[in-house]
Amino acid sequence: VEFLYCDLASMKSIRQFVQQFRAKNCPLHVLVNNAGVMLVPERKTDDGFEEHFGLNYLGHFLLTNLLLDTLKQSGTHSHNARIITVSSATHYVGKLHLNDLQSRCSYSPHGAYAQSKLALVLFTYRLQHLLTASGSHVTANVVDPGVVNTELYKHVFWVVKVVKWMSAWLFFKTPEEGASTTIYAAVSPEMEGAGGCYLYNEERTKSADVAYDEELQRRLWTESCKMVGIYD
């Protein structure tokens, strides 16, 4: 195991990380996008983005795009490189505000978090479309880990924390259980060559209807490229 530092709330840090990784001339067979914050108070990343959207979504968007060439070089016809992005069931209630992605008009921690998770699903579907169109041996899928007992809930109300403390053993997944679908997407032979899937409990399932809107996928992709400063 080798560790390289990458702060997904900083576009500069992401670019430095990619430079360091590329310098190693290593293949990249699996990229798991699994970092984030939930229900944080209104605040901004180093680049001035609303934190949920900037860290949960834009950080992964830039990282994935900067690593795409390496992924394409690493994948083969029989063993595709794989991109797995971790979203959440909250994307089902999320709304994408293309005219206010930074939640400047009206900030809601719940709304901002759900929007960032919906954006990850839209991003994954658009990415798979582009990968297929270019004939790349790379697949992109999105995972819902379920409700997992981690520190992600540290910003919820104290009442919710108490309920979580009392009932997590019964209703929450352990971190190991929460990771199982991500691992399935990353290594399972059944997922070889399969892309554009939404996975929950190691099964393909249907995401929110709005996530299949190809025009919305395209518009979000174009806007995201502008925001992080890469070519569309």
Side-chain angles (χ1 to χ4, degrees):
V1 175
E2 188 171 349
F3 174 81
L4 292 177
Y5 179 80
C6 180
D7 179 0
L8 285 178
S10 165
M11 301 294 124
K12 180 181 178 181
S13 177
I14 293 168
R15 291 180 184 276
Q16 289 175 338
F17 164 80
V18 172
Q19 261 188 335
Q20 291 177 324
F21 180 79
R22 283 179 173 169
K24 294 181 176 296
N25 291 315
C26 293
L28 178 57
H29 300 108
V30 178
L31 172 65
V32 178
N33 291 318
N34 180 29
V37 290
M38 183 174 77
L39 308 184
V40 295
E42 187 173 9
R43 59 194 188 195
K44 298 191 179 347
T45 66
D46 291 354
D47 305 280
F49 300 124
E50 186 278 314
E51 190 166 358
H52 289 99
F53 196 76
L55 195 163
N56 293 5
Y57 170 66
L58 285 178
H60 290 123
F61 179 87
L62 178 62
L63 179 67
T64 302
N65 273 282
L66 294 181
L67 291 172
L68 266 184
D69 284 344
T70 306
L71 285 157
K72 290 175 180 178
Q73 293 162 11
S74 305
T76 65
H77 178 71
S78 57
H79 290 91
N80 283 219
R82 304 186 187 189
I83 301 167
I84 298 96
T85 297
V86 179
S87 181
S88 160
T90 56
H91 91 274
Y92 286 105
V93 297
K95 294 183 179 179
L96 195 76
H97 302 284
L98 274 172
N99 59 342
D100 185 26
L101 292 171
Q102 303 302 319
S103 304
R104 292 191 180 102
C105 295
S106 174
Y107 182 76
S108 157
H110 295 83
Y113 177 71
Q115 175 181 245
S116 71
K117 290 301 179 178
L118 173 59
L120 288 170
V121 183
L122 288 158
F123 155 66
T124 299
Y125 291 166
R126 178 63 180 170
L127 176 60
Q128 182 59 54
H129 171 79
L130 295 172
L131 291 168
T132 301
S134 64
S136 301
H137 298 306
V138 183
T139 58
N141 291 297
V142 62
V143 165
D144 174 2
V147 183
V148 188
N149 189 13
T150 69
E151 289 299 308
L152 189 63
Y153 299 86
K154 63 184 178 182
H155 293 290
V156 299
F157 293 120
W158 69 268
V159 175
V160 179
K161 287 182 180 179
V162 171
V163 172
K164 174 179 177 288
W165 178 75
M166 294 174 62
S167 61
W169 65 274
L170 183 61
F171 298 111
F172 285 48
K173 292 182 178 181
T174 64
E176 290 78 11
E177 291 169 338
S180 65
T181 302
T182 299
I183 295 169
Y184 172 80
V187 302
S188 171
E190 295 172 28
M191 293 303 296
E192 179 57 47
C197 303
Y198 185 86
L199 302 168
Y200 176 66
N201 284 346
E202 300 182 18
E203 293 184 356
R204 302 180 200 191
T205 187
K206 189 174 180 293
S207 60
D209 290 339
V210 68
Y212 299 103
D213 185 334
E214 294 182 3
E215 176 62 15
L216 188 61
Q217 296 168 14
R218 185 190 63 76
R219 291 177 64 192
L220 174 63
W221 184 282
T222 298
E223 188 60 30
S224 302
C225 287
K226 293 177 185 175
M227 295 172 85
V228 302
I230 61 174
Y231 178 71
D232 184 357

PDB file of all heavy atoms in Angstrom, residues 53-78:
ATOM      1  N   PHE A  53     -20.984  20.608  -3.034  1.00  0.00           N
ATOM      2  CA  PHE A  53     -20.837  20.490  -4.477  1.00  0.00           C
ATOM      3  C   PHE A  53     -19.361  20.440  -4.875  1.00  0.00           C
ATOM      4  O   PHE A  53     -18.968  19.668  -5.749  1.00  0.00           O
ATOM      5  CB  PHE A  53     -21.528  21.674  -5.174  1.00  0.00           C
ATOM      6  CG  PHE A  53     -21.758  21.455  -6.638  1.00  0.00           C
ATOM      7  CD1 PHE A  53     -22.772  20.621  -7.079  1.00  0.00           C
ATOM      8  CD2 PHE A  53     -20.942  22.068  -7.588  1.00  0.00           C
ATOM      9  CE1 PHE A  53     -22.985  20.403  -8.424  1.00  0.00           C
ATOM     10  CE2 PHE A  53     -21.141  21.857  -8.942  1.00  0.00           C
ATOM     11  CZ  PHE A  53     -22.173  21.027  -9.366  1.00  0.00           C
ATOM     12  N   GLY A  54     -18.540  21.252  -4.201  1.00  0.00           N
ATOM     13  CA  GLY A  54     -17.129  21.316  -4.554  1.00  0.00           C
ATOM     14  C   GLY A  54     -16.356  20.064  -4.191  1.00  0.00           C
ATOM     15  O   GLY A  54     -15.565  19.561  -4.996  1.00  0.00           O
ATOM     16  N   LEU A  55     -16.577  19.552  -2.986  1.00  0.00           N
ATOM     17  CA  LEU A  55     -15.827  18.377  -2.537  1.00  0.00           C
ATOM     18  C   LEU A  55     -16.463  17.073  -3.028  1.00  0.00           C
ATOM     19  O   LEU A  55     -15.802  16.237  -3.629  1.00  0.00           O
ATOM     20  CB  LEU A  55     -15.738  18.393  -1.014  1.00  0.00           C
ATOM     21  CG  LEU A  55     -14.717  17.481  -0.323  1.00  0.00           C
ATOM     22  CD1 LEU A  55     -14.493  17.952   1.108  1.00  0.00           C
ATOM     23  CD2 LEU A  55     -15.130  16.019  -0.315  1.00  0.00           C
ATOM     24  N   ASN A  56     -17.756  16.914  -2.761  1.00  0.00           N
ATOM     25  CA  ASN A  56     -18.420  15.651  -3.108  1.00  0.00           C
ATOM     26  C   ASN A  56     -18.446  15.406  -4.609  1.00  0.00           C
ATOM     27  O   ASN A  56     -18.294  14.266  -5.057  1.00  0.00           O
ATOM     28  CB  ASN A  56     -19.866  15.652  -2.600  1.00  0.00           C
ATOM     29  CG  ASN A  56     -19.952  15.642  -1.085  1.00  0.00           C
ATOM     30  OD1 ASN A  56     -18.947  15.724  -0.397  1.00  0.00           O
ATOM     31  ND2 ASN A  56     -21.161  15.563  -0.563  1.00  0.00           N
ATOM     32  N   TYR A  57     -18.660  16.471  -5.382  1.00  0.00           N
ATOM     33  CA  TYR A  57     -18.840  16.296  -6.828  1.00  0.00           C
ATOM     34  C   TYR A  57     -17.680  16.822  -7.674  1.00  0.00           C
ATOM     35  O   TYR A  57     -17.027  16.059  -8.387  1.00  0.00           O
ATOM     36  CB  TYR A  57     -20.151  16.941  -7.285  1.00  0.00           C
ATOM     37  CG  TYR A  57     -20.255  16.997  -8.788  1.00  0.00           C
ATOM     38  CD1 TYR A  57     -20.360  15.835  -9.541  1.00  0.00           C
ATOM     39  CD2 TYR A  57     -20.186  18.211  -9.469  1.00  0.00           C
ATOM     40  CE1 TYR A  57     -20.394  15.867 -10.922  1.00  0.00           C
ATOM     41  CE2 TYR A  57     -20.239  18.258 -10.851  1.00  0.00           C
ATOM     42  CZ  TYR A  57     -20.339  17.079 -11.578  1.00  0.00           C
ATOM     43  OH  TYR A  57     -20.363  17.127 -12.942  1.00  0.00           O
ATOM     44  N   LEU A  58     -17.407  18.123  -7.610  1.00  0.00           N
ATOM     45  CA  LEU A  58     -16.410  18.704  -8.517  1.00  0.00           C
ATOM     46  C   LEU A  58     -15.020  18.119  -8.301  1.00  0.00           C
ATOM     47  O   LEU A  58     -14.260  17.932  -9.263  1.00  0.00           O
ATOM     48  CB  LEU A  58     -16.359  20.224  -8.343  1.00  0.00           C
ATOM     49  CG  LEU A  58     -17.521  21.023  -8.948  1.00  0.00           C
ATOM     50  CD1 LEU A  58     -17.346  22.506  -8.643  1.00  0.00           C
ATOM     51  CD2 LEU A  58     -17.617  20.795 -10.461  1.00  0.00           C
ATOM     52  N   GLY A  59     -14.670  17.808  -7.058  1.00  0.00           N
ATOM     53  CA  GLY A  59     -13.373  17.188  -6.798  1.00  0.00           C
ATOM     54  C   GLY A  59     -13.228  15.867  -7.515  1.00  0.00           C
ATOM     55  O   GLY A  59     -12.202  15.588  -8.148  1.00  0.00           O
ATOM     56  N   HIS A  60     -14.270  15.041  -7.448  1.00  0.00           N
ATOM     57  CA  HIS A  60     -14.245  13.751  -8.135  1.00  0.00           C
ATOM     58  C   HIS A  60     -14.309  13.927  -9.659  1.00  0.00           C
ATOM     59  O   HIS A  60     -13.698  13.165 -10.399  1.00  0.00           O
ATOM     60  CB  HIS A  60     -15.427  12.892  -7.668  1.00  0.00           C
ATOM     61  CG  HIS A  60     -15.291  12.422  -6.256  1.00  0.00           C
ATOM     62  ND1 HIS A  60     -16.241  12.683  -5.286  1.00  0.00           N
ATOM     63  CD2 HIS A  60     -14.317  11.732  -5.645  1.00  0.00           C
ATOM     64  CE1 HIS A  60     -15.852  12.143  -4.144  1.00  0.00           C
ATOM     65  NE2 HIS A  60     -14.693  11.567  -4.332  1.00  0.00           N
ATOM     66  N   PHE A  61     -15.056  14.918 -10.093  1.00  0.00           N
ATOM     67  CA  PHE A  61     -15.168  15.196 -11.536  1.00  0.00           C
ATOM     68  C   PHE A  61     -13.805  15.524 -12.116  1.00  0.00           C
ATOM     69  O   PHE A  61     -13.395  14.963 -13.147  1.00  0.00           O
ATOM     70  CB  PHE A  61     -16.143  16.355 -11.767  1.00  0.00           C
ATOM     71  CG  PHE A  61     -16.303  16.733 -13.214  1.00  0.00           C
ATOM     72  CD1 PHE A  61     -17.236  16.076 -14.016  1.00  0.00           C
ATOM     73  CD2 PHE A  61     -15.528  17.739 -13.782  1.00  0.00           C
ATOM     74  CE1 PHE A  61     -17.379  16.414 -15.365  1.00  0.00           C
ATOM     75  CE2 PHE A  61     -15.676  18.080 -15.123  1.00  0.00           C
ATOM     76  CZ  PHE A  61     -16.598  17.421 -15.913  1.00  0.00           C
ATOM     77  N   LEU A  62     -13.077  16.424 -11.470  1.00  0.00           N
ATOM     78  CA  LEU A  62     -11.751  16.808 -11.969  1.00  0.00           C
ATOM     79  C   LEU A  62     -10.776  15.645 -11.864  1.00  0.00           C
ATOM     80  O   LEU A  62     -10.039  15.356 -12.817  1.00  0.00           O
ATOM     81  CB  LEU A  62     -11.216  18.011 -11.182  1.00  0.00           C
ATOM     82  CG  LEU A  62      -9.816  18.481 -11.582  1.00  0.00           C
ATOM     83  CD1 LEU A  62      -9.779  18.937 -13.034  1.00  0.00           C
ATOM     84  CD2 LEU A  62      -9.329  19.593 -10.658  1.00  0.00           C
ATOM     85  N   LEU A  63     -10.743  14.980 -10.719  1.00  0.00           N
ATOM     86  CA  LEU A  63      -9.822  13.859 -10.525  1.00  0.00           C
ATOM     87  C   LEU A  63     -10.008  12.795 -11.600  1.00  0.00           C
ATOM     88  O   LEU A  63      -9.042  12.325 -12.213  1.00  0.00           O
ATOM     89  CB  LEU A  63     -10.029  13.243  -9.139  1.00  0.00           C
ATOM     90  CG  LEU A  63      -9.155  12.033  -8.805  1.00  0.00           C
ATOM     91  CD1 LEU A  63      -7.694  12.438  -8.693  1.00  0.00           C
ATOM     92  CD2 LEU A  63      -9.627  11.362  -7.516  1.00  0.00           C
ATOM     93  N   THR A  64     -11.256  12.413 -11.834  1.00  0.00           N
ATOM     94  CA  THR A  64     -11.543  11.375 -12.829  1.00  0.00           C
ATOM     95  C   THR A  64     -11.104  11.808 -14.215  1.00  0.00           C
ATOM     96  O   THR A  64     -10.471  11.034 -14.949  1.00  0.00           O
ATOM     97  CB  THR A  64     -13.052  11.041 -12.834  1.00  0.00           C
ATOM     98  OG1 THR A  64     -13.449  10.622 -11.521  1.00  0.00           O
ATOM     99  CG2 THR A  64     -13.361   9.928 -13.821  1.00  0.00           C
ATOM    100  N   ASN A  65     -11.422  13.031 -14.600  1.00  0.00           N
ATOM    101  CA  ASN A  65     -11.054  13.504 -15.930  1.00  0.00           C
ATOM    102  C   ASN A  65      -9.550  13.566 -16.125  1.00  0.00           C
ATOM    103  O   ASN A  65      -9.034  13.235 -17.196  1.00  0.00           O
ATOM    104  CB  ASN A  65     -11.695  14.866 -16.199  1.00  0.00           C
ATOM    105  CG  ASN A  65     -13.097  14.749 -16.766  1.00  0.00           C
ATOM    106  OD1 ASN A  65     -13.281  14.478 -17.946  1.00  0.00           O
ATOM    107  ND2 ASN A  65     -14.094  14.926 -15.911  1.00  0.00           N
ATOM    108  N   LEU A  66      -8.813  13.979 -15.095  1.00  0.00           N
ATOM    109  CA  LEU A  66      -7.360  14.069 -15.214  1.00  0.00           C
ATOM    110  C   LEU A  66      -6.693  12.690 -15.270  1.00  0.00           C
ATOM    111  O   LEU A  66      -5.572  12.561 -15.759  1.00  0.00           O
ATOM    112  CB  LEU A  66      -6.777  14.877 -14.048  1.00  0.00           C
ATOM    113  CG  LEU A  66      -7.156  16.359 -13.989  1.00  0.00           C
ATOM    114  CD1 LEU A  66      -6.489  17.034 -12.792  1.00  0.00           C
ATOM    115  CD2 LEU A  66      -6.776  17.073 -15.282  1.00  0.00           C
ATOM    116  N   LEU A  67      -7.404  11.675 -14.770  1.00  0.00           N
ATOM    117  CA  LEU A  67      -6.853  10.315 -14.776  1.00  0.00           C
ATOM    118  C   LEU A  67      -7.381   9.462 -15.932  1.00  0.00           C
ATOM    119  O   LEU A  67      -6.986   8.299 -16.079  1.00  0.00           O
ATOM    120  CB  LEU A  67      -7.159   9.614 -13.449  1.00  0.00           C
ATOM    121  CG  LEU A  67      -6.426  10.160 -12.215  1.00  0.00           C
ATOM    122  CD1 LEU A  67      -6.974   9.501 -10.947  1.00  0.00           C
ATOM    123  CD2 LEU A  67      -4.925   9.914 -12.323  1.00  0.00           C
ATOM    124  N   LEU A  68      -8.245  10.037 -16.756  1.00  0.00           N
ATOM    125  CA  LEU A  68      -8.885   9.251 -17.810  1.00  0.00           C
ATOM    126  C   LEU A  68      -7.892   8.649 -18.797  1.00  0.00           C
ATOM    127  O   LEU A  68      -8.035   7.493 -19.207  1.00  0.00           O
ATOM    128  CB  LEU A  68      -9.911  10.102 -18.573  1.00  0.00           C
ATOM    129  CG  LEU A  68     -11.356  10.025 -18.092  1.00  0.00           C
ATOM    130  CD1 LEU A  68     -12.258  10.841 -18.998  1.00  0.00           C
ATOM    131  CD2 LEU A  68     -11.842   8.583 -18.007  1.00  0.00           C
ATOM    132  N   ASP A  69      -6.893   9.413 -19.211  1.00  0.00           N
ATOM    133  CA  ASP A  69      -5.917   8.890 -20.167  1.00  0.00           C
ATOM    134  C   ASP A  69      -5.215   7.657 -19.608  1.00  0.00           C
ATOM    135  O   ASP A  69      -5.011   6.668 -20.328  1.00  0.00           O
ATOM    136  CB  ASP A  69      -4.886   9.964 -20.533  1.00  0.00           C
ATOM    137  CG  ASP A  69      -5.444  11.004 -21.488  1.00  0.00           C
ATOM    138  OD1 ASP A  69      -6.500  10.739 -22.097  1.00  0.00           O
ATOM    139  OD2 ASP A  69      -4.835  12.072 -21.624  1.00  0.00           O
ATOM    140  N   THR A  70      -4.830   7.721 -18.340  1.00  0.00           N
ATOM    141  CA  THR A  70      -4.160   6.574 -17.705  1.00  0.00           C
ATOM    142  C   THR A  70      -5.094   5.380 -17.621  1.00  0.00           C
ATOM    143  O   THR A  70      -4.693   4.239 -17.868  1.00  0.00           O
ATOM    144  CB  THR A  70      -3.676   6.956 -16.292  1.00  0.00           C
ATOM    145  OG1 THR A  70      -2.875   8.138 -16.370  1.00  0.00           O
ATOM    146  CG2 THR A  70      -2.846   5.840 -15.680  1.00  0.00           C
ATOM    147  N   LEU A  71      -6.351   5.628 -17.287  1.00  0.00           N
ATOM    148  CA  LEU A  71      -7.341   4.544 -17.227  1.00  0.00           C
ATOM    149  C   LEU A  71      -7.526   3.898 -18.591  1.00  0.00           C
ATOM    150  O   LEU A  71      -7.582   2.669 -18.723  1.00  0.00           O
ATOM    151  CB  LEU A  71      -8.673   5.088 -16.710  1.00  0.00           C
ATOM    152  CG  LEU A  71      -8.760   5.375 -15.212  1.00  0.00           C
ATOM    153  CD1 LEU A  71      -9.840   6.400 -14.904  1.00  0.00           C
ATOM    154  CD2 LEU A  71      -9.035   4.080 -14.441  1.00  0.00           C
ATOM    155  N   LYS A  72      -7.610   4.725 -19.644  1.00  0.00           N
ATOM    156  CA  LYS A  72      -7.795   4.204 -20.998  1.00  0.00           C
ATOM    157  C   LYS A  72      -6.603   3.359 -21.441  1.00  0.00           C
ATOM    158  O   LYS A  72      -6.764   2.342 -22.129  1.00  0.00           O
ATOM    159  CB  LYS A  72      -8.016   5.358 -21.975  1.00  0.00           C
ATOM    160  CG  LYS A  72      -9.359   6.054 -21.804  1.00  0.00           C
ATOM    161  CD  LYS A  72      -9.483   7.263 -22.723  1.00  0.00           C
ATOM    162  CE  LYS A  72     -10.821   7.956 -22.558  1.00  0.00           C
ATOM    163  NZ  LYS A  72     -10.947   9.175 -23.404  1.00  0.00           N
ATOM    164  N   GLN A  73      -5.405   3.778 -21.048  1.00  0.00           N
ATOM    165  CA  GLN A  73      -4.203   3.022 -21.398  1.00  0.00           C
ATOM    166  C   GLN A  73      -4.112   1.717 -20.614  1.00  0.00           C
ATOM    167  O   GLN A  73      -3.481   0.757 -21.065  1.00  0.00           O
ATOM    168  CB  GLN A  73      -2.955   3.877 -21.125  1.00  0.00           C
ATOM    169  CG  GLN A  73      -2.813   5.089 -22.040  1.00  0.00           C
ATOM    170  CD  GLN A  73      -1.853   6.129 -21.497  1.00  0.00           C
ATOM    171  OE1 GLN A  73      -1.123   5.878 -20.531  1.00  0.00           O
ATOM    172  NE2 GLN A  73      -1.852   7.317 -22.097  1.00  0.00           N
ATOM    173  N   SER A  74      -4.743   1.668 -19.459  1.00  0.00           N
ATOM    174  CA  SER A  74      -4.645   0.501 -18.580  1.00  0.00           C
ATOM    175  C   SER A  74      -5.688  -0.570 -18.898  1.00  0.00           C
ATOM    176  O   SER A  74      -5.474  -1.755 -18.616  1.00  0.00           O
ATOM    177  CB  SER A  74      -4.794   0.936 -17.117  1.00  0.00           C
ATOM    178  OG  SER A  74      -3.855   1.933 -16.788  1.00  0.00           O
ATOM    179  N   GLY A  75      -6.825  -0.162 -19.452  1.00  0.00           N
ATOM    180  CA  GLY A  75      -7.888  -1.116 -19.747  1.00  0.00           C
ATOM    181  C   GLY A  75      -7.611  -1.902 -21.018  1.00  0.00           C
ATOM    182  O   GLY A  75      -6.968  -1.397 -21.952  1.00  0.00           O
ATOM    183  N   THR A  76      -8.077  -3.138 -21.055  1.00  0.00           N
ATOM    184  CA  THR A  76      -7.956  -3.980 -22.251  1.00  0.00           C
ATOM    185  C   THR A  76      -9.328  -4.535 -22.607  1.00  0.00           C
ATOM    186  O   THR A  76     -10.282  -4.393 -21.842  1.00  0.00           O
ATOM    187  CB  THR A  76      -6.989  -5.153 -22.019  1.00  0.00           C
ATOM    188  OG1 THR A  76      -7.548  -6.029 -21.013  1.00  0.00           O
ATOM    189  CG2 THR A  76      -5.618  -4.659 -21.550  1.00  0.00           C
ATOM    190  N   HIS A  77      -9.415  -5.174 -23.750  1.00  0.00           N
ATOM    191  CA  HIS A  77     -10.691  -5.727 -24.202  1.00  0.00           C
ATOM    192  C   HIS A  77     -11.249  -6.740 -23.200  1.00  0.00           C
ATOM    193  O   HIS A  77     -12.455  -6.798 -22.964  1.00  0.00           O
ATOM    194  CB  HIS A  77     -10.519  -6.387 -25.564  1.00  0.00           C
ATOM    195  CG  HIS A  77     -11.778  -7.022 -26.075  1.00  0.00           C
ATOM    196  ND1 HIS A  77     -12.864  -6.277 -26.504  1.00  0.00           N
ATOM    197  CD2 HIS A  77     -12.149  -8.338 -26.195  1.00  0.00           C
ATOM    198  CE1 HIS A  77     -13.841  -7.103 -26.886  1.00  0.00           C
ATOM    199  NE2 HIS A  77     -13.436  -8.345 -26.698  1.00  0.00           N
ATOM    200  N   SER A  78     -10.366  -7.548 -22.616  1.00  0.00           N
ATOM    201  CA  SER A  78     -10.828  -8.591 -21.687  1.00  0.00           C
ATOM    202  C   SER A  78     -10.864  -8.122 -20.234  1.00  0.00           C
ATOM    203  O   SER A  78     -11.547  -8.716 -19.398  1.00  0.00           O
ATOM    204  CB  SER A  78      -9.929  -9.833 -21.796  1.00  0.00           C
ATOM    205  OG  SER A  78      -8.581  -9.489 -21.551  1.00  0.00           O
TER     206      SER A  78
END
